[in-house]
């Protein structure tokens, strides 16, 4: 099946998920060609859920920069520090064979569509999930960044309708989150499920949990603080490399990945009807799963 999305995009459905044509090609290639190694780290997320933060954090935990000179985030947007399989690696044909171990990759693919080698090997998966209402607002802003002044922002009501129907890049996003949540309960040694809201509320605790899952520890509190600071929204947003309005991350300016970086912004956009409708969908989907992403 095919759908037009945000007027500008065509989406195609594959294995229950909506893809742009380019992402779909990347997905086919990743499913066929990606050979996970046991010590790979695979970051996964639905879109606009904290991917940029997770990429930055894991890159800092693994490479632990001693200063700016060996901090890759100074010179590169986080999406170029950690590549997304279906968007960079298999679309731009990156040579990943020479990457040092442990290799860090990211994917927006739902669990069901992951390359088999990721599921079969001993590689670790870290998932980041975010409250659906904030995810929607973030997504709406993000897609508006590529619209011209004449076009103006996309009508939020139509965007909301699409979101509620699960029609979005790599959507439906609620199913994406729920599937990883359920798998993380079964394969708790392989999949770590993180929540954006919990990371905002208690960053030290969450980053310690993340590091320990990846087999890393910090010598002292300063090291932990340094990782948190290097990957913080405030720092990354203000680095020259991320201010660029022209720099390209699969069609989006580098600056568009840093907007507010807070929780609860949905309250500034949702009508009572929108809130009731999405809350009802969330209740129906997540009921009985034990999953709660509310602040
Ligand atoms: P907002 O639009 O609500 O500000 P993704 O990285 O999955 O595309 O998600 C983007 C969202 O994460 C945006 O949310 C963005 O501002 C926020 N974000 C980016 N970097 C972050 C960081 N280092 N810490 C916290 N949030 C971050």
């Amino acid at each position: 099946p095919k759908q037009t999305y945000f007027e500008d995009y065509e989406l195609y459905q594959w294995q229950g998920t909506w893809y742009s044509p380019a992402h779909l090609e990347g997905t086919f290639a990743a499913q066929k060609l990606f050979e996970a190694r046991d010590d790979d780290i695979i970051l996964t997320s639905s879109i606009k859920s904290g991917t940029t933060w997770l990429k930055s954090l894991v890159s800092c935990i693994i490479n632990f920069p001693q200063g700016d000179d060996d901090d890759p985030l100074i010179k590169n947007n986080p999406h170029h520090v950690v590549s997304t399989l279906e968007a960079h690696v298999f679309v731009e044909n990156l040579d990943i064979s020479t990457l040092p171990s442990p290799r860090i990759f990211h994917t927006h693919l739902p669990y069901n569509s992951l390359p088999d080698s990721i599921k079969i090997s001993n590689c670790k998966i870290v998932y980041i999930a975010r409250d659906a209402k904030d995810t929607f607002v973030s997504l709406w802003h993000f897609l508006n960044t590529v619209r011209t002044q004449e076009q103006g922002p996309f009508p939020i009501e139509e965007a909301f309708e699409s979101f509620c129907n699960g029609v979005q890049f790599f959507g439906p996003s609620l199913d994406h989150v729920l599937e990883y949540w359920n798998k993380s309960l079964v394969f708790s040694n392989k999949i770590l499920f993180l929540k954006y809201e919990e990371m905002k509320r208690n960053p030290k605790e969450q980053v310690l949990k993340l590091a320990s899952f990846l087999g890393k520890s910090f010598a002292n509190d300063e090291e932990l603080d340094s990782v948190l600071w290097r990957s913080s929204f405030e720092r990354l947003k203000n680095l020259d490399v991320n201010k660029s309005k022209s720099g390209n991350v699969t069609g989006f300016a580098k600056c568009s990945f840093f907007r507010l970086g807070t929780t609860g912004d949905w309250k500034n956009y949702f009508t009572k009807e929108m809130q009731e409708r999405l809350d009802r969908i969330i209740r129906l989907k997540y009921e009985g799963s034990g999953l709660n992403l509310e602040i």
Side-chain angles (χ1 to χ4, degrees):
K2 180 175 152 189
Q3 289 253 7
T4 303
Y5 176 58
F6 266 58
E7 284 170 7
D8 311 319
Y9 303 99
E10 283 193 336
L11 296 185
Y12 292 81
Q13 204 178 33
W14 163 247
Q15 299 178 332
T17 297
W18 292 101
Y19 295 92
S20 71
H23 288 151
L24 191 53
E25 265 187 49
T27 297
F28 289 150
Q31 288 180 331
K32 201 164 143 202
L33 301 171
F34 183 63
E35 288 175 21
R37 295 183 191 156
D38 285 339
D39 57 359
D40 279 347
I41 298 167
I42 311 291
L43 313 181
T44 54
S45 58
S46 187
I47 59 170
K48 310 326 287 175
S49 299
T51 314
T52 315
W53 193 9
L54 186 62
K55 285 184 174 188
S56 312
L57 264 173
V58 172
S59 141
C60 284
I61 291 172
I62 297 300
N63 301 314
F64 199 72
Q66 299 298 315
D68 285 357
D69 285 350
D70 60 346
D71 181 356
L73 294 169
I74 294 263
K75 292 196 203 86
N76 302 290
N77 177 275
H79 294 280
H80 293 144
V81 174
V82 175
S83 299
T84 294
L85 292 176
E86 68 281 0
H88 307 115
V89 177
F90 288 100
V91 171
E92 292 158 23
N93 290 321
L94 298 185
D95 178 12
I96 55 172
S97 62
T98 54
L99 287 178
S101 285
R103 304 182 304 177
I104 312 168
F105 296 109
H106 165 263
T107 178
H108 282 308
L109 295 183
Y111 183 86
N112 164 50
S113 297
L114 287 176
D116 286 342
S117 68
I118 294 183
K119 294 184 199 164
I120 293 164
S121 70
N122 286 327
C123 71
K124 299 231 171 192
I125 297 176
V126 182
Y127 189 79
I128 186 161
R130 190 181 192 190
D131 168 65
K133 297 199 281 293
D134 275 340
T135 300
F136 166 72
V137 169
S138 182
L139 174 64
W140 179 67
H141 279 288
F142 183 67
L143 295 180
N144 281 335
T145 61
V146 292
R147 289 175 71 88
T148 62
Q149 212 149 21
E150 296 79 63
Q151 284 177 309
F154 194 80
I156 196 164
E157 299 77 15
E158 284 178 44
F160 186 66
E161 187 62 34
S162 268
F163 189 82
C164 288
N165 292 329
V167 182
Q168 61 166 97
F169 297 116
F170 303 98
S173 106
L174 273 85
D175 297 62
H176 197 286
V177 175
L178 183 62
E179 190 184 25
Y180 275 102
W181 168 254
N182 285 331
K183 295 293 177 192
S184 75
L185 299 179
V186 180
F187 307 117
S188 54
N189 289 331
K190 185 173 177 75
I191 307 176
L192 177 69
F193 188 97
L194 295 174
K195 300 175 182 173
Y196 185 93
E197 290 69 27
E198 228 167 81
M199 287 170 62
K200 281 301 248 188
R201 197 169 31 221
N202 204 342
K204 285 197 178 186
E205 178 198 275
Q206 293 302 303
V207 171
L208 281 172
K209 186 163 92 174
L210 170 59
S212 146
F213 178 76
L214 298 175
K216 291 279 178 182
S217 56
F218 301 104
N220 48 44
D221 233 31
E222 286 75 54
E223 281 193 8
L224 172 57
D225 285 340
S226 153
V227 163
L228 278 167
W229 170 71
R230 286 194 180 277
S231 52
S232 67
F233 177 85
E234 291 71 22
R235 173 177 184 258
L236 295 176
K237 185 183 172 79
N238 291 310
L239 288 176
D240 283 347
V241 65
N242 297 323
K243 283 190 193 154
S244 158
K245 289 199 168 118
S246 55
N248 190 331
V249 181
T250 51
F252 295 90
K254 288 178 186 168
C255 66
S256 57
F257 290 85
F258 304 91
R259 191 183 63 93
L260 265 188
T262 58
T263 55
D265 188 38
W266 64 268
K267 290 176 191 145
N268 298 316
Y269 297 89
F270 271 53
T271 61
K272 194 162 172 290
E273 289 69 34
M274 286 165 78
Q275 182 186 353
E276 282 174 2
R277 180 166 173 203
L278 193 45
D279 278 346
R280 204 175 129 262
I281 297 173
I282 293 169
R283 241 191 343 269
L284 286 172
K285 291 261 184 201
Y286 293 171
E287 202 159 49
S289 69
L291 175 60
N292 184 2
L293 297 169
E294 301 278 307
I295 311 167

